[in-house]
Amino acid sequence: MDQFHVWFTQARGEGLAEPNAMALATVEPRGVPRVRIVLLKGYDRAGFRFFTNYRSRKGRALLENPNVSVVFPWHPIRRQVSVSGRAERLSEEENDAYFRTRPHGSQVGAWASEYQSSPVRDRAELEERFGQYERTWTGAAEIPRPEYWGGYRILPSEVEFWQGRADRMHDRFRYRLRSEEGSGQLWDIERLSP
Ligand SMILES: Cc1cc2nc3c(=O)[nH]c(=O)nc-3n(C[C@H](O)[C@H](O)[C@H](O)COP(=O)(O)O)c2cc1C
Ligand code: PXP
């Protein structure tokens, strides 16, 4: 995580558009992969956090199979970071704390999109739902978090740092988790052939 922190800080410093956008791959029933972009909302020694709708297609996939893979595609600085691990749901407290920080419209939007990834009739139906929830929460001190909305923590077991270099002679370093004792983690680090 120390190495990730160094690179993430540099990616932000370089002014990349959405350096926290990461492609998240999950495993669907019968072993079919599926990938989509989500936003990294925090990280620490325990893992990488993102937020979504637990009823979404990814949410349903993760119920069956928690294995995930993520890539940060930082093209302008010729870097990528790939992570493999498993995802676990965040606590209710963590979910509430993050939901409270979201803009009003995004909070209402979470209510309007109760079944993320399911078909809806048309745009008008969505807007109608948004309007209904706006009215529901008018005057409320705060909008509660829908129970189906929350986040995951990706617990990494492998992290690879890739730095593009001339002649396709890139630098690649793979960190693999060897053991975890208390709060300490032991990682094996290897250089990989480009
Ligand atoms: C830049 C970008 C950031 C996104 N961030 C999120 C996110 O943090 N959480 C989320 O649920 N969807 C996010 N989305 C939408 C997802 O890519 C995806 O369409 C949605 O989560 C449904 O995915 P699923 O049907 O595979 O569950 C983002 C899309 C883009 C293009
Ligand atoms: C549906 C959805 N949920 C969550 C997020 C990310 O969380 P936030 O809206 O709090 O930035 C996004 C970002 O594109 C999103 O599209």
Side-chain angles (χ1 to χ4, degrees):
M1 238 2 132
D2 292 342
Q3 182 60 36
F4 179 81
H5 180 63
V6 170
W7 275 31
F8 186 67
T9 305
Q10 287 169 351
R12 270 199 313 213
E14 295 286 333
L16 262 63
E18 311 221 54
N20 62 330
M22 56 187 191
L24 167 78
T26 51
V27 186
E28 304 231 300
R30 290 186 292 283
V32 178
R34 185 176 165 81
V35 65
R36 83 290 284 157
I37 305 288
V38 293
L39 296 181
L40 178 73
K41 292 294 177 174
Y43 59 90
D44 55 27
R45 284 187 189 281
F48 302 87
R49 296 187 295 279
F50 68 92
F51 290 86
T52 189
N53 182 313
Y54 288 137
R55 294 176 181 165
S56 64
R57 195 158 161 184
K58 73 182 91 51
R60 284 178 273 131
L62 289 170
L63 271 182
E64 300 291 315
N65 187 332
N67 293 322
V68 294
S69 187
V70 156
V71 67
F72 292 86
W74 295 329
H75 310 301
I77 55 172
R78 303 195 67 204
R79 284 181 177 175
Q80 74 175 344
V81 178
S82 330
V83 178
S84 301
R86 73 193 157 76
E88 62 174 32
R89 286 191 186 198
L90 297 178
S91 67
E92 305 282 300
E93 292 73 27
E94 287 171 297
N95 287 341
D96 287 339
Y98 178 70
F99 191 77
R100 259 183 243 120
T101 70
R102 301 184 83 213
H104 174 83
S106 306
Q107 293 183 336
V108 177
W111 281 96
S113 177
E114 185 180 348
Y115 291 93
Q116 187 186 34
S117 316
S118 295
V120 285
R121 194 183 63 237
D122 52 20
R123 178 84 205 176
E125 179 182 329
L126 279 178
E127 307 237 340
E128 200 177 302
R129 289 178 61 81
F130 189 95
Q132 277 170 5
Y133 280 110
E134 280 252 85
R135 289 191 291 280
T136 304
W137 305 119
T138 300
E142 70 172 27
I143 299 183
R145 173 180 62 86
E147 41 92 18
Y148 54 78
W149 199 95
Y152 291 90
R153 175 179 286 107
I154 298 173
L155 313 175
S157 51
E158 189 175 315
V159 184
E160 186 194 313
F161 297 88
W162 183 98
Q163 172 72 67
R165 299 205 39 189
D167 304 320
R168 304 287 192 240
M169 290 286 285
H170 316 304
D171 287 325
R172 298 177 59 188
F173 290 96
R174 178 174 65 192
Y175 288 60
R176 279 192 295 187
L177 188 61
R178 192 198 310 166
S179 65
E180 268 178 290
E181 279 152 28
S183 57
Q185 294 178 331
L186 265 179
W187 295 83
D188 291 319
I189 309 173
E190 294 161 303
R191 178 186 275 271
L192 304 181
S193 178

